[in-house]
Amino acid sequence: MSWKLLVVAGLFEVAWAIGLEYSEGFSKLWPTVFTVVALVVSMALLAKSLQTLPVGTAYAVWTGIGAVGTATLGIVLFDESADVLRMVFIGVIVVGIVGLNLVSG
């Protein structure tokens, strides 16, 4: 159950990171509200998952999900670069997330 909470926490991390872009420096009300709510949910779920998962592993996975998801949505939503090397390094992060899951049980 903790791993599922951690994955959802990571998805909310993606949501608040993307929300930051849409809030334009917290100058737009509703994107700012969305960002803050997503941030609080993400942190709360991360904290809950830490009740049974090691902090180093959980934090690395949480930030990894956030990084991969945010980079992917940056490509899709904001026309950011999708060059080969960038995709390779995003893949390395995914391998790290999967590896931490496998060795953590």
Side-chain angles (χ1 to χ4, degrees):
M1 184 63 170
S2 292
W3 279 102
K4 290 178 185 176
L5 288 175
L6 185 58
V7 169
V8 174
L11 294 175
F12 273 96
E13 183 188 5
V14 174
W16 69 256
I18 295 299
L20 283 173
E21 180 72 19
Y22 283 110
S23 76
E24 295 183 14
F26 299 120
S27 65
K28 292 186 173 181
L29 176 63
W30 293 114
T32 296
V33 169
F34 170 82
T35 300
V36 170
V37 169
L39 176 61
V40 169
V41 171
S42 180
M43 290 287 177
L45 292 173
L46 173 62
K48 183 71 175 164
S49 73
L50 288 176
Q51 291 177 338
T52 57
L53 295 175
V55 67
T57 299
Y59 185 75
V61 169
W62 180 71
T63 57
I65 292 169
V68 169
T70 304
T72 301
L73 285 178
I75 292 165
V76 172
L77 298 174
F78 307 121
D79 200 32
E80 294 178 2
S81 170
D83 66 46
V84 173
L85 279 178
R86 187 169 191 213
M87 300 310 291
V88 166
F89 290 120
I90 289 171
V92 169
I93 296 170
V94 171
V95 169
I97 293 168
V98 171
L100 285 170
N101 185 300
L102 292 174
V103 300
S104 296

